[in-house]
Amino acid sequence: MIATPHAPRLKRVPPGVWVAAFWSTLILVRMFQRPDELQRLFRYNGNTEDAPLLVTAVVTTLGALLLFRAPLAAVAVALTGTVFSLGMPVRETPVALFLLADAAVGYTAATRSRRVSVLAAALPVGILAGYTFWRLASGYFFNLAVPAALASTVVIAWLIGNTVHQNRAHADTVRAQATEQAVTAERLRIARELHDMVAHNIGIIAIQAGVGSRVMDTQPAETRNALNAIEATSRETLFGLRRMLGALRQSDQESAPLDPTPGLAALDQLVGKTAAAGVRVDVRWRGDRRDLPSDVDLAAFRIVQEAVTNVVRHSGTRDCSVTVDYRLDELSVDIVDLGCGGTVADSGYGIAGMRERVSLLQGEFSAGPRPEGGFRVAARLPVPVEAGR
């Protein structure tokens, strides 16, 4: 189980606490400067400017406490403070509190559903509309540009928040798709490795078991050799499976030395195992042999391994040839047998795995029966020129 780290201590403090601490500090400073401030602060007589300060402190503190848990309530608190401060001498206070409601609307649009965010935006617009109609119905002179400007701030705050919400949703979708693609690619890679490793070795075991059963009564020594080969191949397969499963279980924090991935240097071992199964593999090297990128080296070996496995299991012949051609900017691999041929569909997942390997490396792949008989698998893998130097 992966432990989730705790957030820093300061980050776990609710924003409302910080806002309350700020206003408390400010009020205490004013009280320290003027000893009679405490009485004047809580006794609004229509002349003091301390009452708007108290209203602003209370509204912003409650709004900050409610914003992350109940954003609609935070909008309502800010609007209530706006309406309550309309009769106060400091005319900037209602505007400031209304802008605080705008901030809550923007946050709601960025973090909540469309229905909730639209409702949050409708609250201040409705308050403005009601206030405007009341002033007009009362016969007071009223500049309609002021509520129109405030309504536009609500729309702008909602649009900004909704844009943030859409961008976040799009980023989450892209991230989920990338994760899904990465998981799919990793599953295919593991499937290819398991198929290439297990299918080849199981094919060898099947051939050896068949040989041993046929000569059990007449050639005990040959039977013993077949059983020895089966035991060695089985142990190798089991070791490979354990190594792969162990690598899959490793976490990012753990590190364990793994055996190097096979490459064309392991062809001699592959030829020996195939010869023990009764199929002779003639390997021909062309060009200047050189170190290859690990992904190209692994893909080339797995293609040869799968093609030779198909020869052992399906072709019915005892000979095949493998040609590895090192060219300037690519590696060419060609496997040919003179067996009974067959079709690409008869090869199960092997042909598909080889094609996927070549496609991932932007190479070219072909597989199919030859007109003159037999079967041919060919792959051309691009190799960066720098890798060959």
Side-chain angles (χ1 to χ4, degrees):
M1 180 180 295
I2 300 177
T4 303
H6 294 288
R9 292 182 179 273
L10 294 180
K11 193 174 182 179
R12 283 182 279 172
V13 178
V17 176
W18 295 110
V19 175
F22 168 77
W23 287 114
S24 300
T25 303
L26 181 60
I27 293 174
L28 288 175
V29 170
R30 291 173 64 88
M31 291 173 56
F32 179 78
Q33 292 176 347
R34 291 183 294 179
D36 60 340
E37 188 68 24
L38 183 61
Q39 295 180 358
R40 299 176 64 246
L41 184 63
F42 292 97
R43 186 181 61 199
Y44 171 56
N45 57 14
N47 297 320
T48 179
E49 61 180 12
D50 294 324
L53 175 64
L54 179 61
V55 171
T56 304
V58 173
V59 170
T60 53
T61 301
L62 290 178
L65 288 172
L66 296 173
L67 182 61
F68 296 102
R69 296 184 178 181
L72 286 178
V75 175
V77 168
L79 292 176
T80 302
T82 302
V83 174
F84 181 77
S85 61
L86 287 175
M88 293 183 178
V90 182
R91 297 184 177 181
E92 292 80 3
T93 300
V95 176
L97 295 180
F98 191 87
L99 293 179
L100 177 63
D102 287 348
V105 169
Y107 176 81
T108 305
T111 59
R112 296 298 190 269
S113 65
R114 178 68 60 85
R115 182 179 61 85
V116 175
S117 66
V118 170
L119 180 59
L123 288 177
V125 173
I127 293 293
L128 285 174
Y131 180 73
T132 301
F133 290 145
W134 175 75
R135 291 296 298 264
L136 292 176
S138 301
Y140 294 107
F141 173 76
F142 191 62
N143 187 2
L144 295 179
V146 175
L150 292 176
S152 67
T153 62
V154 178
V155 175
I156 292 174
W158 186 89
L159 290 175
I160 293 175
N162 186 63
T163 301
V164 173
H165 182 84
Q166 291 179 340
N167 291 338
R168 185 177 300 167
H170 176 70
D172 292 340
T173 302
V174 172
R175 190 180 302 111
Q177 291 178 349
T179 302
E180 183 178 357
Q181 292 175 356
V183 171
T184 302
E186 183 65 11
R187 289 176 59 186
L188 290 175
R189 185 190 69 82
I190 295 172
R192 285 193 300 268
E193 287 296 314
L194 286 174
H195 178 272
D196 293 343
M197 177 184 67
V198 176
H200 173 75
N201 289 344
I202 294 300
I204 298 297
I205 291 173
I207 295 295
Q208 293 288 359
V211 172
S213 64
R214 287 194 296 268
V215 300
M216 182 181 301
D217 297 329
T218 59
Q219 302 180 34
E222 190 66 24
T223 302
R224 187 179 300 107
N225 293 335
L227 292 176
N228 291 335
I230 290 175
E231 180 183 6
T233 307
S234 301
R235 291 182 182 277
E236 180 183 350
T237 305
L238 182 60
F239 175 76
L241 287 174
R242 287 176 174 173
R243 180 176 63 86
M244 181 171 292
L245 294 176
L248 293 175
R249 293 176 66 90
Q250 295 294 324
S251 63
D252 294 336
Q253 291 77 18
E254 296 175 347
S255 60
L258 299 178
D259 293 344
T261 56
L264 292 176
L267 277 185
D268 291 339
Q269 181 182 359
L270 176 65
V271 170
K273 292 169 59 178
T274 308
V279 176
R280 186 178 67 87
V281 180
D282 181 20
V283 181
R284 303 168 186 174
W285 303 90
R286 295 179 181 175
D288 296 329
R289 296 180 62 175
R290 60 186 185 274
D291 293 335
L292 298 170
S294 58
D295 52 351
V296 176
D297 200 20
L298 174 62
F301 175 78
R302 292 304 191 195
I303 290 170
V304 174
Q305 183 185 49
E306 177 60 27
V308 171
T309 300
N310 289 338
V311 172
V312 173
R313 299 173 61 185
H314 305 298
S315 69
T317 184
R318 301 181 65 86
D319 295 281
C320 74
S321 64
V322 176
T323 303
V324 182
D325 188 2
Y326 289 82
R327 300 174 183 174
L328 179 61
D329 57 352
E330 68 178 12
L331 178 72
S332 175
V333 179
D334 196 86
I335 303 95
V336 177
D337 68 79
L338 299 177
C340 58
T343 64
V344 176
D346 295 335
S347 301
Y349 297 106
I351 296 295
M354 289 189 284
R355 182 174 286 108
E356 288 174 356
R357 287 185 183 276
V358 176
S359 176
L360 289 174
L361 297 175
Q362 307 297 321
E364 299 178 7
F365 177 79
S366 62
R370 302 193 308 161
E372 61 273 25
F375 200 86
R376 179 174 181 265
V377 175
R380 297 171 61 184
L381 305 176
V383 178
V385 178
E386 303 82 25
R389 295 179 179 176

Coordinates of all heavy atoms in Angstrom, one line a residue, residues 80-159:
T80 N -25.2 39.4 1.8 CA -25.9 39.9 2.9 C -25.1 41.1 3.5 O -25.7 42.1 3.9 CB -26.1 38.8 4.0 OG1 -26.8 37.7 3.4 CG2 -26.8 39.3 5.2
G81 N -23.8 40.9 3.6 CA -23.0 42.0 4.1 C -23.1 43.3 3.2 O -23.0 44.4 3.6
T82 N -23.2 43.0 1.9 CA -23.3 44.1 0.9 C -24.6 44.9 1.2 O -24.6 46.2 1.2 CB -23.3 43.6 -0.5 OG1 -22.1 42.9 -0.7 CG2 -23.4 44.7 -1.5
V83 N -25.7 44.2 1.3 CA -27.0 44.9 1.6 C -27.0 45.6 2.9 O -27.5 46.7 3.0 CB -28.1 43.9 1.5 CG1 -29.5 44.5 1.9 CG2 -28.2 43.3 0.1
F84 N -26.4 45.0 3.9 CA -26.4 45.6 5.3 C -25.5 46.8 5.3 O -25.8 47.8 6.1 CB -25.8 44.5 6.3 CG -25.8 45.0 7.7 CD1 -26.9 45.1 8.4 CD2 -24.6 45.4 8.2 CE1 -26.9 45.5 9.7 CE2 -24.5 45.9 9.5 CZ -25.7 46.0 10.3
S85 N -24.5 46.9 4.5 CA -23.6 48.1 4.5 C -24.0 49.2 3.6 O -23.3 50.2 3.5 CB -22.2 47.6 4.2 OG -22.2 47.1 2.8
L86 N -25.2 49.1 3.0 CA -25.6 50.1 2.0 C -25.8 51.5 2.8 O -25.6 52.5 2.2 CB -26.9 49.7 1.3 CG -26.7 48.6 0.2 CD1 -28.0 48.2 -0.4 CD2 -25.8 49.1 -0.9
G87 N -26.3 51.4 4.0 CA -26.6 52.7 4.7 C -25.4 53.2 5.5 O -25.6 54.2 6.2
M88 N -24.3 52.7 5.3 CA -23.1 53.1 6.1 C -22.4 54.3 5.3 O -22.5 54.4 4.1 CB -22.1 52.0 6.3 CG -22.7 50.9 7.3 SD -21.5 49.6 7.6 CE -22.5 48.6 8.7
P89 N -21.7 55.1 6.1 CA -21.1 56.3 5.5 C -20.0 55.9 4.5 O -19.7 56.7 3.6 CB -20.6 57.1 6.6 CG -20.4 56.1 7.7 CD -21.4 55.1 7.5
V90 N -19.3 54.8 4.6 CA -18.2 54.4 3.7 C -18.9 53.7 2.5 O -19.2 52.6 2.6 CB -17.2 53.5 4.5 CG1 -16.1 53.2 3.5 CG2 -16.7 54.2 5.7
R91 N -19.0 54.4 1.4 CA -19.7 53.9 0.3 C -18.9 52.8 -0.4 O -19.4 52.1 -1.3 CB -20.0 55.0 -0.7 CG -20.9 56.1 -0.1 CD -21.3 57.1 -1.2 NE -22.2 58.1 -0.6 CZ -22.7 59.1 -1.3 NH1 -22.4 59.3 -2.6 NH2 -23.6 59.9 -0.8
E92 N -17.6 52.7 -0.2 CA -16.8 51.7 -0.8 C -17.0 50.3 -0.3 O -16.7 49.3 -0.9 CB -15.3 52.1 -0.7 CG -14.8 53.3 -1.5 CD -15.2 54.6 -0.8 OE1 -15.7 54.5 0.3 OE2 -14.9 55.6 -1.4
T93 N -17.5 50.3 1.0 CA -17.7 49.0 1.6 C -18.7 48.1 0.9 O -18.4 46.9 0.6 CB -18.2 49.2 3.1 OG1 -17.2 49.9 3.8 CG2 -18.4 47.8 3.8
P94 N -19.9 48.5 0.4 CA -20.7 47.6 -0.3 C -20.1 47.1 -1.6 O -20.3 45.9 -2.0 CB -22.0 48.5 -0.6 CG -22.0 49.6 0.4 CD -20.5 49.8 0.7
V95 N -19.4 48.0 -2.3 CA -18.7 47.6 -3.5 C -17.7 46.5 -3.2 O -17.6 45.5 -4.0 CB -18.1 48.8 -4.2 CG1 -17.4 48.3 -5.5 CG2 -19.2 49.8 -4.6
A96 N -16.9 46.7 -2.2 CA -15.8 45.8 -1.8 C -16.5 44.4 -1.5 O -16.0 43.3 -1.9 CB -15.0 46.3 -0.7
L97 N -17.5 44.4 -0.7 CA -18.2 43.2 -0.3 C -18.8 42.5 -1.5 O -18.9 41.2 -1.6 CB -19.2 43.4 0.8 CG -18.6 43.9 2.1 CD1 -19.7 44.1 3.1 CD2 -17.6 42.9 2.6
F98 N -19.4 43.3 -2.5 CA -20.0 42.7 -3.7 C -18.9 42.1 -4.5 O -19.1 41.0 -5.1 CB -20.7 43.8 -4.5 CG -21.5 43.2 -5.6 CD1 -22.8 42.8 -5.4 CD2 -21.0 43.1 -6.9 CE1 -23.6 42.3 -6.4 CE2 -21.8 42.6 -7.9 CZ -23.1 42.2 -7.7
L99 N -17.7 42.7 -4.6 CA -16.6 42.0 -5.3 C -16.1 40.8 -4.6 O -15.7 39.8 -5.3 CB -15.4 43.0 -5.4 CG -15.7 44.3 -6.3 CD1 -14.5 45.2 -6.3 CD2 -16.1 43.9 -7.7
L100 N -16.3 40.8 -3.3 CA -16.0 39.5 -2.6 C -16.9 38.4 -3.0 O -16.6 37.2 -3.2 CB -16.1 39.7 -1.1 CG -15.8 38.5 -0.2 CD1 -14.4 38.0 -0.4 CD2 -16.1 38.9 1.3
A101 N -18.2 38.7 -3.2 CA -19.2 37.8 -3.7 C -18.8 37.3 -5.1 O -19.0 36.2 -5.5 CB -20.6 38.4 -3.7
D102 N -18.3 38.3 -5.9 CA -17.8 37.9 -7.3 C -16.7 36.9 -7.2 O -16.7 35.9 -8.0 CB -17.3 39.1 -8.0 CG -18.4 40.0 -8.5 OD1 -19.6 39.6 -8.4 OD2 -18.2 41.2 -8.9
A103 N -15.8 37.1 -6.3 CA -14.7 36.1 -6.1 C -15.3 34.7 -5.7 O -14.8 33.7 -6.2 CB -13.7 36.6 -5.1
A104 N -16.3 34.7 -4.9 CA -16.9 33.4 -4.5 C -17.6 32.8 -5.7 O -17.6 31.6 -5.9 CB -17.9 33.6 -3.4
V105 N -18.2 33.6 -6.6 CA -18.8 33.1 -7.8 C -17.8 32.5 -8.7 O -18.0 31.4 -9.3 CB -19.6 34.2 -8.5 CG1 -20.1 33.8 -9.9 CG2 -20.8 34.6 -7.7
G106 N -16.7 33.2 -8.9 CA -15.6 32.6 -9.7 C -15.1 31.3 -9.2 O -14.8 30.4 -10.0
Y107 N -14.9 31.2 -7.9 CA -14.4 30.0 -7.3 C -15.4 28.9 -7.5 O -15.1 27.7 -7.8 CB -14.1 30.2 -5.8 CG -13.7 28.9 -5.1 CD1 -12.4 28.4 -5.2 CD2 -14.6 28.2 -4.4 CE1 -12.0 27.3 -4.6 CE2 -14.2 27.0 -3.7 CZ -12.9 26.6 -3.8 OH -12.6 25.4 -3.2
T108 N -16.7 29.2 -7.3 CA -17.7 28.2 -7.5 C -17.8 27.7 -8.9 O -17.9 26.5 -9.2 CB -19.1 28.8 -7.1 OG1 -19.0 29.3 -5.8 CG2 -20.2 27.7 -7.2
A109 N -17.7 28.6 -9.9 CA -17.7 28.2 -11.3 C -16.4 27.3 -11.6 O -16.5 26.4 -12.5 CB -17.7 29.4 -12.2
A110 N -15.3 27.5 -10.9 CA -14.1 26.8 -11.2 C -14.1 25.4 -10.6 O -13.4 24.5 -11.1 CB -12.9 27.6 -10.8
T111 N -14.8 25.2 -9.5 CA -14.7 24.0 -8.7 C -16.0 23.2 -8.6 O -16.0 22.0 -8.1 CB -14.2 24.3 -7.3 OG1 -15.1 25.2 -6.7 CG2 -12.8 24.9 -7.4
R112 N -17.1 23.7 -9.0 CA -18.4 23.0 -8.8 C -19.1 22.8 -10.1 O -18.6 23.2 -11.2 CB -19.4 23.8 -7.9 CG -18.9 24.0 -6.5 CD -18.7 22.7 -5.8 NE -18.4 22.8 -4.3 CZ -17.2 23.0 -3.8 NH1 -16.2 22.9 -4.6 NH2 -17.1 23.1 -2.5
S113 N -20.2 22.1 -10.1 CA -20.9 21.8 -11.3 C -21.5 23.0 -12.0 O -21.6 24.1 -11.4 CB -22.0 20.7 -11.1 OG -23.0 21.3 -10.2
R114 N -21.9 22.9 -13.3 CA -22.5 24.0 -14.0 C -23.8 24.5 -13.3 O -24.0 25.7 -13.2 CB -22.8 23.5 -15.4 CG -23.4 24.6 -16.3 CD -22.5 25.8 -16.5 NE -21.3 25.3 -17.2 CZ -21.2 25.2 -18.5 NH1 -22.2 25.4 -19.3 NH2 -20.1 24.8 -19.1
R115 N -24.6 23.6 -12.8 CA -25.8 24.0 -12.1 C -25.6 24.8 -10.9 O -26.2 25.9 -10.7 CB -26.7 22.7 -11.8 CG -28.0 23.0 -11.1 CD -28.7 21.7 -10.8 NE -28.0 20.9 -9.9 CZ -28.0 21.0 -8.6 NH1 -28.8 22.0 -8.0 NH2 -27.4 20.3 -7.8
V116 N -24.6 24.4 -10.1 CA -24.3 25.1 -8.9 C -23.7 26.5 -9.2 O -24.0 27.5 -8.6 CB -23.4 24.3 -8.0 CG1 -23.0 25.1 -6.7 CG2 -24.1 23.0 -7.5
S117 N -22.8 26.5 -10.2 CA -22.2 27.8 -10.5 C -23.1 28.8 -11.1 O -23.1 30.0 -10.8 CB -21.0 27.5 -11.5 OG -21.5 27.1 -12.7
V118 N -24.1 28.3 -11.9 CA -25.1 29.2 -12.5 C -26.0 29.8 -11.4 O -26.3 31.0 -11.3 CB -25.9 28.5 -13.5 CG1 -27.1 29.4 -13.9 CG2 -25.1 28.2 -14.8
L119 N -26.3 29.0 -10.4 CA -27.1 29.4 -9.3 C -26.3 30.5 -8.4 O -26.9 31.5 -8.0 CB -27.5 28.3 -8.4 CG -28.3 28.6 -7.1 CD1 -29.6 29.3 -7.5 CD2 -28.6 27.3 -6.3
A120 N -25.0 30.2 -8.3 CA -24.2 31.2 -7.5 C -24.1 32.5 -8.3 O -24.2 33.6 -7.6 CB -22.8 30.6 -7.4
A121 N -24.1 32.5 -9.6 CA -24.0 33.8 -10.3 C -25.4 34.5 -10.3 O -25.5 35.7 -10.4 CB -23.6 33.5 -11.8
A122 N -26.5 33.7 -10.3 CA -27.8 34.3 -10.3 C -28.1 35.0 -9.0 O -28.9 36.0 -9.0 CB -28.9 33.2 -10.5
L123 N -27.5 34.6 -7.9 CA -27.7 35.3 -6.6 C -27.4 36.8 -6.7 O -28.2 37.7 -6.4 CB -27.0 34.6 -5.5 CG -27.6 33.2 -5.1 CD1 -26.7 32.6 -4.0 CD2 -29.0 33.4 -4.6
P124 N -26.1 37.2 -7.0 CA -25.8 38.6 -7.0 C -26.6 39.4 -8.1 O -26.9 40.5 -7.9 CB -24.3 38.6 -7.3 CG -24.0 37.3 -7.8 CD -24.9 36.4 -7.2
V125 N -26.8 38.7 -9.3 CA -27.5 39.4 -10.3 C -29.0 39.6 -9.9 O -29.6 40.7 -10.1 CB -27.5 38.5 -11.6 CG1 -28.4 39.1 -12.7 CG2 -26.1 38.4 -12.2
G126 N -29.6 38.7 -9.2 CA -30.9 38.9 -8.6 C -31.0 40.0 -7.6 O -31.9 40.8 -7.6
I127 N -29.9 40.1 -6.7 CA -29.9 41.1 -5.8 C -29.8 42.5 -6.4 O -30.5 43.5 -6.1 CB -28.7 40.9 -4.8 CG1 -28.9 39.7 -3.9 CG2 -28.5 42.2 -3.9 CD1 -30.0 39.8 -2.9
L128 N -29.0 42.6 -7.5 CA -28.8 43.8 -8.2 C -30.2 44.2 -8.9 O -30.6 45.4 -8.8 CB -27.7 43.7 -9.2 CG -26.3 43.8 -8.7 CD1 -25.3 43.5 -9.9 CD2 -26.0 45.1 -8.1
A129 N -30.8 43.2 -9.5 CA -32.1 43.5 -10.2 C -33.1 44.0 -9.2 O -33.9 45.0 -9.4 CB -32.5 42.3 -10.9
G130 N -33.2 43.3 -8.0 CA -34.2 43.7 -7.0 C -34.0 45.1 -6.5 O -34.9 45.9 -6.3
Y131 N -32.7 45.4 -6.2 CA -32.3 46.7 -5.7 C -32.6 47.8 -6.7 O -33.1 48.9 -6.3 CB -30.8 46.7 -5.3 CG -30.3 48.0 -4.7 CD1 -30.7 48.4 -3.5 CD2 -29.5 48.9 -5.5 CE1 -30.3 49.6 -2.9 CE2 -29.1 50.1 -5.0 CZ -29.4 50.4 -3.7 OH -29.0 51.6 -3.2
T132 N -32.3 47.5 -8.0 CA -32.6 48.5 -9.0 C -34.1 48.8 -9.1 O -34.5 49.9 -9.2 CB -32.0 48.0 -10.3 OG1 -30.6 47.8 -10.2 CG2 -32.3 49.0 -11.4
F133 N -34.9 47.7 -9.2 CA -36.4 47.9 -9.3 C -36.9 48.7 -8.0 O -37.8 49.5 -8.1 CB -37.1 46.6 -9.4 CG -36.8 45.9 -10.8 CD1 -36.7 44.6 -10.9 CD2 -36.7 46.7 -11.9 CE1 -36.5 44.0 -12.1 CE2 -36.4 46.1 -13.1 CZ -36.3 44.8 -13.2
W134 N -36.4 48.4 -6.9 CA -36.8 49.0 -5.7 C -36.5 50.5 -5.7 O -37.4 51.4 -5.3 CB -36.2 48.4 -4.4 CG -36.5 49.1 -3.2 CD1 -37.7 49.1 -2.5 CD2 -35.6 50.0 -2.4 NE1 -37.6 49.9 -1.4 CE2 -36.3 50.4 -1.3 CE3 -34.3 50.4 -2.6 CZ2 -35.8 51.3 -0.4 CZ3 -33.8 51.3 -1.7 CH2 -34.5 51.7 -0.6
R135 N -35.3 50.9 -6.2 CA -34.9 52.3 -6.3 C -35.8 53.0 -7.3 O -36.3 54.1 -7.0 CB -33.5 52.4 -6.6 CG -32.5 52.0 -5.5 CD -32.6 52.9 -4.3 NE -32.3 54.3 -4.6 CZ -31.1 54.8 -4.3 NH1 -30.1 54.0 -3.9 NH2 -30.9 56.1 -4.6
L136 N -36.0 52.4 -8.4 CA -36.8 53.0 -9.4 C -38.3 53.2 -9.0 O -39.0 54.2 -9.3 CB -36.8 52.2 -10.7 CG -35.4 52.2 -11.4 CD1 -35.4 51.3 -12.7 CD2 -35.0 53.6 -11.8
A137 N -38.8 52.1 -8.3 CA -40.2 52.2 -7.9 C -40.4 53.2 -6.8 O -41.5 53.8 -6.6 CB -40.6 50.8 -7.4
S138 N -39.3 53.5 -6.0 CA -39.4 54.5 -4.9 C -39.2 55.9 -5.4 O -39.3 56.9 -4.6 CB -38.3 54.2 -3.8 OG -38.5 52.9 -3.3
G139 N -38.9 56.1 -6.7 CA -38.7 57.4 -7.3 C -37.4 58.0 -7.0 O -37.2 59.2 -7.2
Y140 N -36.4 57.3 -6.6 CA -35.1 57.8 -6.3 C -34.3 57.9 -7.6 O -34.5 57.0 -8.5 CB -34.3 57.0 -5.3 CG -34.9 56.9 -4.0 CD1 -35.5 55.8 -3.5 CD2 -34.7 58.1 -3.1 CE1 -36.0 55.8 -2.2 CE2 -35.3 58.0 -1.8 CZ -35.9 56.9 -1.4 OH -36.5 56.9 -0.1
F141 N -33.5 59.0 -7.7 CA -32.6 59.1 -8.9 C -31.6 58.0 -8.8 O -31.0 57.8 -7.7 CB -32.0 60.4 -9.0 CG -30.9 60.5 -10.0 CD1 -31.3 60.7 -11.4 CD2 -29.6 60.5 -9.7 CE1 -30.3 60.7 -12.4 CE2 -28.6 60.5 -10.7 CZ -29.0 60.7 -12.0
F142 N -31.4 57.3 -9.9 CA -30.5 56.1 -9.8 C -29.8 56.0 -11.1 O -30.4 56.0 -12.2 CB -31.3 54.8 -9.5 CG -30.5 53.6 -9.2 CD1 -29.6 53.6 -8.0 CD2 -30.5 52.5 -10.0 CE1 -28.9 52.5 -7.7 CE2 -29.7 51.4 -9.6 CZ -28.9 51.4 -8.5
N143 N -28.5 55.9 -11.0 CA -27.6 55.7 -12.2 C -27.6 54.2 -12.6 O -27.0 53.4 -11.9 CB -26.2 56.3 -12.0 CG -25.4 56.2 -13.2 OD1 -25.9 55.9 -14.3 ND2 -24.1 56.7 -13.1
L144 N -28.2 53.8 -13.7 CA -28.3 52.4 -14.0 C -27.0 51.9 -14.5 O -26.8 50.6 -14.6 CB -29.3 52.2 -15.2 CG -30.8 52.6 -14.9 CD1 -31.7 52.4 -16.1 CD2 -31.3 51.7 -13.7
A145 N -26.0 52.7 -14.7 CA -24.7 52.2 -15.1 C -24.0 51.5 -14.0 O -23.2 50.6 -14.2 CB -23.8 53.4 -15.6
V146 N -24.3 51.9 -12.7 CA -23.7 51.3 -11.6 C -24.1 49.8 -11.4 O -23.2 48.9 -11.4 CB -24.0 52.1 -10.3 CG1 -23.4 51.3 -9.1 CG2 -23.4 53.4 -10.4
P147 N -25.4 49.5 -11.4 CA -25.7 48.0 -11.3 C -25.3 47.2 -12.6 O -25.0 46.1 -12.5 CB -27.3 48.0 -11.1 CG -27.7 49.4 -11.6 CD -26.6 50.3 -11.3
A148 N -25.4 47.9 -13.7 CA -24.9 47.2 -14.9 C -23.4 46.9 -14.9 O -23.0 45.8 -15.3 CB -25.2 48.1 -16.2
A149 N -22.6 47.8 -14.3 CA -21.2 47.5 -14.2 C -21.0 46.4 -13.2 O -20.1 45.5 -13.4 CB -20.5 48.8 -13.8
L150 N -21.7 46.4 -12.1 CA -21.6 45.3 -11.1 C -22.0 44.0 -11.6 O -21.4 43.0 -11.4 CB -22.3 45.7 -9.8 CG -21.8 46.9 -9.0 CD1 -22.7 47.2 -7.8 CD2 -20.4 46.6 -8.5
A151 N -23.1 44.0 -12.4 CA -23.6 42.8 -13.0 C -22.5 42.2 -14.0 O -22.3 41.0 -14.1 CB -24.9 43.0 -13.7
S152 N -21.8 43.1 -14.7 CA -20.8 42.7 -15.6 C -19.6 42.0 -14.9 O -19.0 41.1 -15.4 CB -20.3 43.8 -16.5 OG -19.6 44.8 -15.7
T153 N -19.4 42.5 -13.7 CA -18.3 41.8 -12.9 C -18.7 40.4 -12.5 O -17.8 39.5 -12.4 CB -18.0 42.7 -11.6 OG1 -19.1 42.7 -10.8 CG2 -17.5 44.1 -12.0
V154 N -20.0 40.2 -12.2 CA -20.4 38.8 -11.9 C -20.2 37.9 -13.2 O -19.8 36.8 -13.0 CB -21.9 38.9 -11.5 CG1 -22.4 37.4 -11.2 CG2 -22.1 39.7 -10.3
V155 N -20.6 38.4 -14.3 CA -20.5 37.6 -15.6 C -19.0 37.3 -15.8 O -18.7 36.2 -16.2 CB -21.1 38.4 -16.7 CG1 -20.9 37.6 -18.0 CG2 -22.6 38.6 -16.5
I156 N -18.2 38.3 -15.7 CA -16.7 38.1 -15.9 C -16.2 37.1 -14.9 O -15.4 36.2 -15.3 CB -16.0 39.5 -15.8 CG1 -16.4 40.4 -16.9 CG2 -14.5 39.2 -15.8 CD1 -15.8 41.8 -16.8
A157 N -16.5 37.2 -13.6 CA -16.0 36.3 -12.6 C -16.5 34.8 -13.0 O -15.7 33.9 -12.9 CB -16.5 36.7 -11.2
W158 N -17.8 34.7 -13.4 CA -18.3 33.4 -13.8 C -17.6 32.8 -15.0 O -17.2 31.6 -15.1 CB -19.8 33.4 -14.0 CG -20.4 32.1 -14.2 CD1 -20.9 31.2 -13.3 CD2 -20.5 31.4 -15.5 NE1 -21.3 30.1 -13.9 CE2 -21.1 30.2 -15.2 CE3 -20.2 31.7 -16.8 CZ2 -21.4 29.2 -16.2 CZ3 -20.5 30.8 -17.8 CH2 -21.1 29.6 -17.5
L159 N -17.3 33.7 -16.0 CA -16.7 33.2 -17.2 C -15.2 32.8 -16.9 O -14.8 31.8 -17.4 CB -16.7 34.3 -18.3 CG -18.0 34.7 -18.9 CD1 -17.9 35.9 -19.8 CD2 -18.5 33.5 -19.7

